[in-house]
Amino acid sequence: MIDVALLKEICELPGAPGFEKKIRDFIVEKAGKLVDEISIDNIGNVTAIKRGVRNPDSKRVMVAAHMDEIGFIVTHIDDNGFIRFHTLGGFDPKTLTAQRVIIHGKEKDMMGVMGTKPIHVMTTEEKSKLPKITDYFIDLGMDKAEVEKWIQVGDPITRERDLVEMGNCVNCKSIDNRISVFILLEALRTLEAPAYDVYATFTVQEEVGIRGAQVSAHTIDPDFGIALDTTIAFDLPGAAAHEKITELGKGTAIKIMDSSAICDYRMVAFMKETATKNNIPFQTEILTAGGTDTAGVQRMGRRGAIAGAISIPTRHLHQVIEMANKSDVLASIQLLKASLEEIDRFDWSH
C-alpha cells in the first residue's frame, strides 16, 4: 500500500530544529531525482521545483512539509557526567519517563537515558505532582571526563525509537512530521503533469515557530499554498464525539483552521471537490490549539497566498509512539497529487 521501508528511513533519521542536516541530505538525494530544479536556502530549507504543463501566467504552488522533529539541546554537563538539556519544541514532561535518547556529539552519536528521582525515595507530596522538564537529566553511564570526550554544550539530542507496523498502522517517533516528508516525496514521484509550477518545500524549524516556512514563502511568493502536517486523532477511550478532531482510518483530513491560520474557503472547497471527484476518503479538521506551516505559507509571501492544508490524522502526537493509518497516508498522497494536477480547473474567483 505504501513504501514502509522508505518511511522507516525517513522517520528514524535525526533532525532536531536547527540541526536538520542528516534528514536534509537524504531529502536532497531522493527529491533531486524527481524534479527539474533543487536548492537549499541559507536557513536550510530545501526547495524542489517541478514545472507545470499548463502555466501561461507562471503561477506558483508552494507545498510545505517540515523536516524537523521535536528534540533537545545540551545545556550543561555536571560534575558527575549527567547532562541537563533544553527542549526544542513542545513536550509533555511525563512522556520523557524511561526513554532512551541519542546525543549527536562531536564525532559520534551517544546513547543516553532520561533519568529522574526514583519513586521509591519520593515524598508523598512529590508523588502527587506531575513531573516538570527540569526534573529530568540524561545519564550516559559515564563520568564527566569521559562524557566530555564526546559531548559538548550545544549538541542536539533526538529520541530513540524504531518504526514498527501495528495492524494497518505505522508507529514511531517523529511521524510528526516525517510522514509529510514521505507524502511529498511520493507525490513528486508519481506527479507527471502538474498544472502550475510546484515548489515542493521541505522546511526547517517548524517545531520552534514556523521559521523555515516563513523564509520560503517570502522567497517563493506563491499564488497557492498547501501545507502538509499531522493533526490530532483523539479517537481514544473517553473522548467525546466533539473532541476527536480526526479519526484514524477515516481518510486524509482537509484543514479548515488551526490556531495560527484560517484556511482560504476556496482552497477548502477545491480540496473537498477534488477528493470527492477522485473517490479519495477525507474528513475535515478544525484544530483550535496548535499551528502549522500553513500560517507561514499563507501570510509571508508579498501578496499572500490562497492557502490550505492536508493533515494526516495521528494518535499520541509529540510522543515516541505516534501512530498513523496507512490508508490515511495513501489518501493524503492521492489528494496532494490530484490537487496539483487539477488546481487550474477550479474557479478561484468566487
Side-chain angles (χ1 to χ4, degrees):
M1 180 183 285
I2 64 170
D3 187 346
V4 175
L6 174 61
L7 178 60
K8 179 179 172 69
E9 281 190 271
I10 292 170
C11 286
E12 293 178 6
L13 280 167
F19 300 91
E20 297 94 348
K21 181 176 174 17
K22 287 185 180 179
I23 181 63
R24 178 168 49 244
D25 289 348
F26 182 88
I27 289 167
V28 169
E29 178 191 351
K30 295 294 183 182
K33 303 169 185 176
L34 306 173
V35 297
D36 300 304
E37 301 173 35
I38 192 164
S39 62
I40 304 171
D41 67 16
N42 288 339
I43 198 173
N45 298 308
V46 175
T47 302
I49 304 172
K50 199 155 193 171
R51 295 297 177 189
V53 296
R54 299 183 299 277
N55 197 14
D57 298 324
S58 299
K59 291 190 181 298
R60 301 177 176 188
V61 185
M62 177 178 169
V63 185
H66 74 84
M67 69 177 88
D68 59 309
E69 60 180 315
I70 57 173
F72 316 91
I73 190 167
V74 175
T75 60
H76 179 70
I77 302 169
D78 75 14
D79 291 341
N80 295 308
F82 296 112
I83 288 174
R84 296 289 180 171
F85 59 87
H86 181 67
T87 55
L88 297 175
F91 279 90
D92 178 351
K94 68 178 181 290
T95 66
L96 303 185
T97 300
Q99 297 297 333
R100 292 192 182 104
V101 296
I102 302 169
I103 304 178
H104 305 280
K106 305 172 189 175
E107 298 177 16
K108 64 177 181 176
D109 295 342
M110 305 291 290
M111 188 77 72
V113 295
M114 284 285 181
T116 190
K117 188 175 183 178
I119 195 169
H120 310 77
V121 295
M122 286 183 179
T123 65
T124 302
E125 182 183 5
E126 286 173 329
K127 290 177 184 178
S128 67
K129 291 181 178 179
L130 290 172
K132 304 184 296 295
I133 291 287
T134 51
D135 293 335
Y136 292 89
F137 53 84
I138 297 172
D139 182 358
L140 278 77
M142 303 175 185
D143 61 24
K144 182 181 176 71
E146 185 68 17
V147 169
E148 289 185 333
K149 289 180 184 178
W150 310 107
I151 306 299
Q152 60 187 342
V153 169
D155 285 341
I157 306 163
T158 58
R159 300 159 300 156
E160 186 272 332
R161 188 62 63 101
D162 294 342
L163 184 141
V164 297
E165 296 179 72
M166 303 172 67
N168 196 43
C169 296
V170 288
N171 189 286
C172 194
K173 70 155 183 93
S174 309
I175 293 290
D176 176 14
N177 187 37
R178 300 298 175 70
I179 199 78
S180 296
V181 170
F182 171 79
I183 287 166
L184 185 47
L185 286 172
E186 288 294 272
L188 288 174
R189 184 177 61 81
T190 58
L191 183 63
E192 296 180 356
Y196 299 147
D197 291 354
V198 174
Y199 287 71
T201 311
F202 302 86
T203 63
V204 297
Q205 298 191 43
E206 188 272 351
E207 295 290 1
V208 289
I210 315 178
R211 299 174 186 179
Q214 294 178 21
V215 172
S216 286
H218 181 72
T219 302
I220 295 166
D221 193 22
D223 299 279
F224 302 93
I226 299 173
L228 305 174
D229 210 332
T230 55
T231 190
I232 292 171
F234 187 38
D235 53 345
L236 303 174
H242 69 277
E243 296 177 310
K244 291 183 178 180
I245 302 175
T246 64
E247 300 178 62
L248 260 59
K250 297 292 181 69
T252 188
I254 297 171
K255 186 186 292 291
I256 294 174
M257 65 167 284
D258 59 32
S259 67
S260 62
I262 299 171
C263 296
D264 194 293
Y265 67 92
R266 294 165 292 179
M267 184 61 77
V268 173
F270 166 65
M271 287 185 176
K272 286 181 177 180
E273 180 181 295
T274 302
T276 301
K277 183 167 58 177
N278 290 279
N279 298 311
I280 300 168
F282 74 92
Q283 52 195 309
T284 54
E285 174 217 7
I286 292 180
L287 183 65
T288 56
T292 64
D293 275 347
T294 313
V297 175
Q298 184 181 54
R299 298 201 292 266
M300 294 307 294
R302 291 186 296 278
R303 301 161 296 152
I306 298 174
I310 295 171
S311 300
I312 302 87
T314 306
R315 288 180 187 156
H316 321 305
L317 274 174
H318 282 210
Q319 302 184 44
V320 293
I321 52 167
E322 294 175 338
M323 183 183 293
N325 187 289
K326 287 185 272 189
S327 62
D328 297 340
V329 175
L330 181 60
S332 301
I333 296 168
Q334 293 169 337
L335 180 56
L336 177 59
K337 178 177 180 289
S339 296
L340 295 174
E341 291 174 342
E342 300 174 23
I343 197 166
D344 64 329
R345 298 169 186 162
F346 186 77
D347 184 357
W348 297 97
S349 64
H350 291 15

